[in-house]
């Protein structure tokens, strides 16, 4: 199943409810980037943001925690209404199992995110406990960066591992996911596409038109590729 996950840091926050009504019809998930200004050099969104959109959508909401100390925010993020909580591999080295268990204990699904420079082998020992694996295809922190093509073999590794071990976590790509990259991402087995500025919100000021364009571009780029 293909999943389109809209990255709300790129949305028009002044018209959030109007835009959620549109995204509810065209996307299968919502992606909320929570940044603390330390793990990456930006400040964005928060558990309170998730709580405020919760009443306007039934789509699963993923919290992508780009924070130095994710253990401090798991409970608050779960209580705010996140369905998936994704942690950066680089931040959980010494407490990966404990934090994944904490996410599940809160009734949420657990994800891990690999920054471009982090090898797939870093997460291998806890992969079978996960519900989602996200391969960042740009460095964390900003919209509008160039796609890192060296990430395609890493995506392939995540897909092959799950096939070899009979698991069914979602494999997701985040960063510069757009008409220029859909084809290669799809071919390498990506299930979930985080759509930010270049794939969705920057396409058209009218978000309904942008959604239609995104779906057409995805179909054109992926036709017959898998
Ligand atoms: C980071 C965000 C962005 C988002 C930005 O986690 O989720 O990377 O994809 O969109 P682009 O890369 O298209 O500007
Ligand atoms: Zn993200």
């Amino acid at each position: 199943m293909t999943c389109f996950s809209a990255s709300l840091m790129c949305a028009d926050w002044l018209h959030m409810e109007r835009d959620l009504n549109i995204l509810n019809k065209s996307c299968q998930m919502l992606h909320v980037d929570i940044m603390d200004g330390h793990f990456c050099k930006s400040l964005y969104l928060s558990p309170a943001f998730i709580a405020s959109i919760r009443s306007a959508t039934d789509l699963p909401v993923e919290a992508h925690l780009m924070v130095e100390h994710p253990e401090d925010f798991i409970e608050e993020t779960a209580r705010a209404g996140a369905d998936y909580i994704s942690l950066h591999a680089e931040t959980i080295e010494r407490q990966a199992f404990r934090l994944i268990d904490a996410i599940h204990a809160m009734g949420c699904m657990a994800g891990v995110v690999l920054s471009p420079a982090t090898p797939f082998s870093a997460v291998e020992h806890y992969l079978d406990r996960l519900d989602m694996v996200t391969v960042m295809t740009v460095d964390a922190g900003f919209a509008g960066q160039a796609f890192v093509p060296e990430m395609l073999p890493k995506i392939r590794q995540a897909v092959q591992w799950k096939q070899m071990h009979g698991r069914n976590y979602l494999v997701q790509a985040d960063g510069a996911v757009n008409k220029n990259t859909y084809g290669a991402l799809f071919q390498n087995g990506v299930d979930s596409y985080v759509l930010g500025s270049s794939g969705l919100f920057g396409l058209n000021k009218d978000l309904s038109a942008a959604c239609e364009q995104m779906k057409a571009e995805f179909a054109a780029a992926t036709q017959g590729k898998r």
Side-chain angles (χ1 to χ4, degrees), residues 165-204:
H165 295 82
R167 306 296 304 175
N168 59 1
Y169 52 73
L170 283 176
V171 176
Q172 178 168 265
D174 185 7
V177 174
N178 57 51
K179 67 173 181 189
N180 300 320
T181 55
Y182 292 144
L185 294 171
F186 184 79
Q187 209 161 22
N188 281 283
V190 168
D191 305 300
S192 178
Y193 299 78
V194 178
L195 300 165
S197 57
S198 63
L200 180 60
F201 294 97
L203 294 182
N204 196 314

Side-chain angles (χ1 to χ4, degrees), residues 115-188:
S115 290
T118 303
F120 181 71
S121 57
V123 304
E124 239 168 325
H125 288 302
Y126 52 84
L127 271 179
D128 64 353
R129 300 175 183 230
L130 295 174
D131 305 292
M132 184 177 333
V133 173
T134 301
V135 175
M136 292 288 303
T137 39
V138 300
D139 277 330
F142 304 95
Q145 301 180 85
F147 185 78
V148 181
E150 291 88 339
M151 294 303 102
L152 294 171
K154 197 197 284 184
I155 288 169
R156 194 80 227 135
Q157 278 180 294
V159 171
Q160 278 168 350
W161 197 97
K162 103 171 153 169
Q163 286 163 350
M164 261 166 53
H165 295 82
R167 306 296 304 175
N168 59 1
Y169 52 73
L170 283 176
V171 176
Q172 178 168 265
D174 185 7
V177 174
N178 57 51
K179 67 173 181 189
N180 300 320
T181 55
Y182 292 144
L185 294 171
F186 184 79
Q187 209 161 22
N188 281 283

Side-chain angles (χ1 to χ4, degrees), residues 10-148:
C10 302
D12 176 0
W13 302 340
L14 189 57
H15 301 107
M16 208 59 235
E17 190 171 10
R18 178 199 69 189
D19 286 2
L20 284 171
N21 287 333
I22 297 166
L23 297 172
N24 285 339
K25 294 185 211 120
S26 290
C27 294
Q28 290 71 42
M29 199 174 325
L30 298 172
H31 184 90
V32 176
D33 288 308
I34 298 179
M35 305 188 195
D36 66 353
H38 295 285
F39 176 72
C40 53
K41 298 293 164 199
S42 295
L43 291 165
Y44 265 110
L45 307 184
S46 66
F49 176 83
I50 294 178
S52 70
I53 62 164
R54 200 55 281 189
S55 63
T57 185
D58 290 326
L59 292 179
V61 173
E62 179 199 4
H64 175 184
L65 292 187
M66 283 177 265
V67 302
E68 218 163 72
H69 297 289
E71 65 277 13
D72 294 343
F73 302 102
I74 288 172
E75 196 174 326
E76 190 184 348
T77 304
R79 288 198 197 289
D83 298 282
Y84 285 86
I85 299 181
S86 292
L87 311 175
H88 264 268
E90 307 82 30
T91 64
I92 61 171
E93 253 185 348
R94 283 166 286 173
Q95 47 186 346
F97 293 86
R98 195 162 58 225
L99 297 189
I100 291 166
D101 285 350
I103 292 171
H104 285 144
M106 291 298 295
C108 297
M109 286 178 277
V112 72
V113 187
L114 295 100
S115 290
T118 303
F120 181 71
S121 57
V123 304
E124 239 168 325
H125 288 302
Y126 52 84
L127 271 179
D128 64 353
R129 300 175 183 230
L130 295 174
D131 305 292
M132 184 177 333
V133 173
T134 301
V135 175
M136 292 288 303
T137 39
V138 300
D139 277 330
F142 304 95
Q145 301 180 85
F147 185 78
V148 181

